[in-house]
Amino acid sequence: MLQKVVRSTVIDAPIAQVWEVLRDFNSHDRWHSAIEASRIEGDERSDQVGCVRSFSLKDGNRIREQLLTLSDSDYQSTYCILDATLPLQRYVATVKLKPVTDGNRTFWHWESTFATPPGRERELAEVVARGVYETGFRDLERHLRGGGMQSPIERVGMSPEGGAAVASRQVAITRYGGPEELQPQAVDCPPPRAGEVRIRQRAIGVNYLDVYLRRGWVPSMLPLAAGEPGVLGMEAAGSVLDTGAGVSGFLPGDRVAYLGPVPGAYCSVRNVPADWVVRLPVEIEDDVAAALLLKGITADYLLHDLARVQPGTRLLVHAAAGGVGLLVCAWARRLGAVVVGTVSSEEKGRIAREHGSEHVIVTRDYRFAEAVQRACGGADVLIDGLGDQARDENFAALARRGHWISLGQASGPLTPLAPDLLVSKSLTFSRPVVFDYVSTPAQLASRAQRVWRALEDGSIRMPPIERFTLDAAAEAHARLESRNTVGPLVLRP
Ligand SMILES: NC(=O)c1ccc[n+]([C@@H]2O[C@H](COP(=O)([O-])OP(=O)(O)OC[C@H]3O[C@@H](n4cnc5c(N)ncnc54)[C@H](OP(=O)(O)O)[C@@H]3O)[C@@H](O)[C@H]2O)c1
């Protein structure tokens, strides 16, 4: 019969800080007093599912264990013993964390099942319960308070001067081109400089802007010096490793997300200016933050600041089932707008309707003006991320005094518009960029807060998130360009 040992405790530290230690399958010799030494076999990373760690215990025993699952969004990992000098057979253990409701403490559940030789059940259950789990609880708490063995946070340096480089992985290009130019590589992330926060990233938002940068359409944002790698990506979520001089308001272990106008987010550890960073509420998971932060803030400024959408505003939204599109449609509908969305397939149309598109126009060849005129008599506001291929139809789809917001150029850069083209219907034209709407920490914090509130009160609905590993960024780009994605895409380091 299998033995089951279950232990739990509350650790007086935020969940991200506890998880930062526990997710590292090779960390125990730095905090668990029963472990003499730990090493990962082969060249595997210590958070790579399948990696094997080899423990020597202080009592002379040796154990080899394999990481079976690791979920940063659920704060959970499972592992098993492969072989051991202790007679623990078929041993499988789960570590799971939950935030305690005040947000600053962590509930830690540790359980395992295993078989033992007959007659040794109680003895070995005691070893696991007390010698491993309860000792581990006490040791980790002490370790996080700064006593005892050295923490990984201390090892990377909490002081502005004393930090060390941390191993990171990035996806970079060395020349502009297709998705195949995106190449993963191992790098070191240096300590944060004054005003910077170093972040262990757990989820990175993919935006269509990343595609433009990869293609070389905006070289001023991603200039490629000969042979130098250029790293894409404008936003990510994770936890603070350490901070540079002069940074206040962030502590190691804080869960955070950021967006900023300088690319470089396609990596596992990054330094960013503290002004770009917001703390995350407990209920907003890393994937959700990376999927929604930039796109949700875009929806917010478009609808509230630029278009000033009111009940009855006739709003035309292109790519209505896309990352930005689903959020804009849902939020606009909540504001009382008449929402008309264009999409390129019936399936996307179904999802766009579920997220607030009252009228859906299915078109793959950018012909929609007649259908818009039929549905609502012309658009008061047009949110256009398509660019050139939709140019002429956009003019025809706008109502008198309509406002064309040119958000992006998924179909190609917009050829220049002569101002006189706007005269016939007294049209207005805007070319906004999200970063100008979060140019101070206060603006960023309040807009991020509005997005989380909109999710909570149902103004926006949680879109489906398509996830890729960081190393598979090329695949994510190819998918986004294929026009087959629905909702946002996220990379997981
Ligand atoms: N200026 C800003 O502040 C700001 C901020 C965020 C995003 N944006 C822009 O908003 C737009 C949406 O961004 P997103 O990241 O959420 O992307 P997305 O909408 O998820 O993906 C782009 C969508 O564009 C449509 N599309 C039409 N023609 C295309 C073509 N030739 N190739 C590829 N896609 C085509 C596709 O939808 P259908 O197949 O259904 O047509 C596709 O799914 C982009 O233009 C982006 O640059 C601007």
Side-chain angles (χ1 to χ4, degrees):
M1 208 177 82
L2 284 181
Q3 300 283 311
K4 182 166 184 170
V5 168
V6 181
R7 288 291 183 277
S8 56
T9 190
V10 172
I11 299 281
D12 195 12
I15 192 165
Q17 200 174 350
V18 180
W19 183 238
E20 181 67 29
V21 178
L22 292 182
R23 73 183 297 284
D24 180 351
F25 203 49
N26 198 29
S27 72
H28 289 60
D29 59 352
R30 296 193 294 270
W31 58 271
H32 198 302
S33 55
I35 310 294
E36 178 71 41
S38 165
R39 72 176 176 83
I40 299 289
E41 298 179 0
D43 287 331
E44 302 267 45
R45 289 179 357 213
S46 61
D47 59 358
Q48 174 67 55
V49 168
C51 74
V52 175
R53 74 180 166 204
S54 192
F55 275 160
S56 346
L57 272 58
K58 291 210 172 119
D59 63 6
N61 276 302
R62 283 200 302 282
I63 303 181
R64 288 176 70 238
E65 292 179 322
Q66 185 167 37
L67 184 61
L68 299 177
T69 66
L70 178 90
S71 167
D72 286 322
S73 50
D74 295 337
Y75 300 104
Q76 180 168 332
S77 64
T78 54
Y79 59 95
C80 68
I81 290 182
L82 295 178
D83 47 80
T85 50
L86 281 166
L88 291 168
Q89 297 143 5
R90 292 153 63 198
Y91 177 100
V92 180
T94 301
V95 165
K96 182 160 178 57
L97 304 182
K98 285 190 173 173
V100 174
T101 40
D102 71 7
N104 287 320
R105 292 182 303 147
T106 303
F107 178 76
W108 175 3
H109 179 90
W110 202 348
E111 71 169 59
S112 55
T113 53
F114 51 89
T116 66
R120 298 193 62 185
E121 293 85 355
R122 284 187 62 165
E123 172 210 345
L124 288 164
E126 277 292 284
V127 168
V128 172
R130 291 191 192 283
V132 182
Y133 297 177
E134 291 175 16
T135 305
F137 292 155
R138 185 201 64 208
D139 290 347
L140 186 65
E141 178 114 50
R142 183 184 299 155
H143 167 76
L144 290 171
R145 279 203 305 266
M149 292 177 233
Q150 205 182 19
S151 81
I153 291 165
E154 290 154 11
R155 282 190 304 119
V156 299
M158 285 168 64
S159 84
E161 296 80 28
V166 173
S168 174
R169 203 161 170 79
Q170 68 181 23
V171 172
I173 57 172
T174 48
R175 59 179 185 194
Y176 301 124
E180 69 285 355
E181 298 299 338
L182 291 163
Q183 296 295 335
Q185 49 195 221
V187 287
D188 280 340
C189 177
R193 290 175 306 190
E196 287 184 338
V197 177
R198 181 158 53 176
I199 296 172
R200 159 93 50 209
Q201 305 195 149
R202 309 223 188 283
I204 300 155
V206 178
N207 290 286
Y208 220 91
L209 175 57
D210 307 348
V211 173
Y212 310 147
L213 296 185
R214 195 205 67 219
R215 289 178 181 163
W217 286 5
V218 202
S220 58
M221 271 182 95
L222 191 72
L224 291 181
E228 283 293 304
V231 182
L232 304 173
M234 317 308 294
E235 64 172 333
S239 56
V240 172
L241 277 177
D242 50 2
T243 57
V247 174
S248 57
F250 297 107
L251 287 173
D254 281 350
R255 291 186 59 245
V256 293
Y258 70 85
L259 74 159
V262 180
Y266 284 15
C267 60
S268 58
V269 183
R270 186 182 183 195
N271 289 314
V272 294
D275 286 359
W276 296 4
V277 183
V278 280
R279 289 164 65 119
L280 284 176
V282 171
E283 65 279 11
I284 302 295
E285 292 180 356
D286 299 327
D287 284 7
V288 172
L292 295 192
L293 188 67
L294 189 150
K295 297 173 187 73
I297 287 176
T298 299
D300 177 47
Y301 85 72
L302 287 173
L303 298 174
H304 296 104
D305 298 68
L306 196 54
R308 295 175 191 276
V309 165
Q310 310 283 331
T313 301
R314 296 165 297 176
L315 184 72
L316 173 58
V317 182
H318 289 320
V324 172
L326 286 179
L327 304 178
V328 166
C329 290
W331 214 338
R333 188 72 178 274
R334 179 58 76 96
L335 293 169
V338 177
V339 182
V340 184
T342 71
V343 292
S344 61
S345 71
E346 295 294 343
E347 174 59 8
K348 283 184 168 192
R350 185 183 65 74
I351 294 163
R353 267 188 210 95
E354 281 175 13
H355 285 255
S357 244
E358 188 176 345
H359 305 278
V360 168
I361 299 166
V362 180
T363 169
R364 224 183 142 77
D365 59 0
Y366 313 99
R367 298 186 66 82
F368 47 81
E370 259 185 52
V372 174
Q373 292 292 350
R374 267 200 313 276
C376 65
D380 301 310
V381 176
L382 159 61
I383 293 184
D384 168 32
L386 301 187
D388 209 48
Q389 298 274 326
R391 184 179 190 271
D392 296 340
E393 289 275 309
N394 280 342
F395 277 114
L398 281 158
R400 213 167 280 287
R401 290 165 47 197
H403 182 181
W404 175 354
I405 301 176
S406 171
L407 196 67
Q409 47 198 34
S411 78
L414 199 58
T415 45
L417 292 177
D420 279 356
L421 284 172
L422 305 173
V423 164
S424 63
K425 290 197 251 182
S426 299
L427 302 176
T428 50
F429 180 86
S430 300
R431 188 75 178 88
V433 178
V434 61
F435 307 111
D436 289 325
Y437 289 81
V438 287
S439 57
T440 66
Q443 282 174 8
L444 173 61
S446 93
R447 287 203 188 274
Q449 196 51 42
R450 286 159 71 123
V451 175
W452 312 141
R453 225 178 13 244
L455 190 61
E456 194 187 337
D457 72 17
S459 300
I460 52 179
R461 291 183 47 187
M462 192 56 223
I465 300 175
E466 200 169 334
R467 296 172 176 84
F468 297 82
T469 63
L470 173 61
D471 281 8
E475 207 184 305
H477 274 223
R479 275 281 293 159
L480 188 57
E481 290 170 277
S482 74
R483 299 182 71 173
N484 288 323
T485 57
V486 167
L489 280 62
V490 160
L491 305 176
R492 314 244 358 215

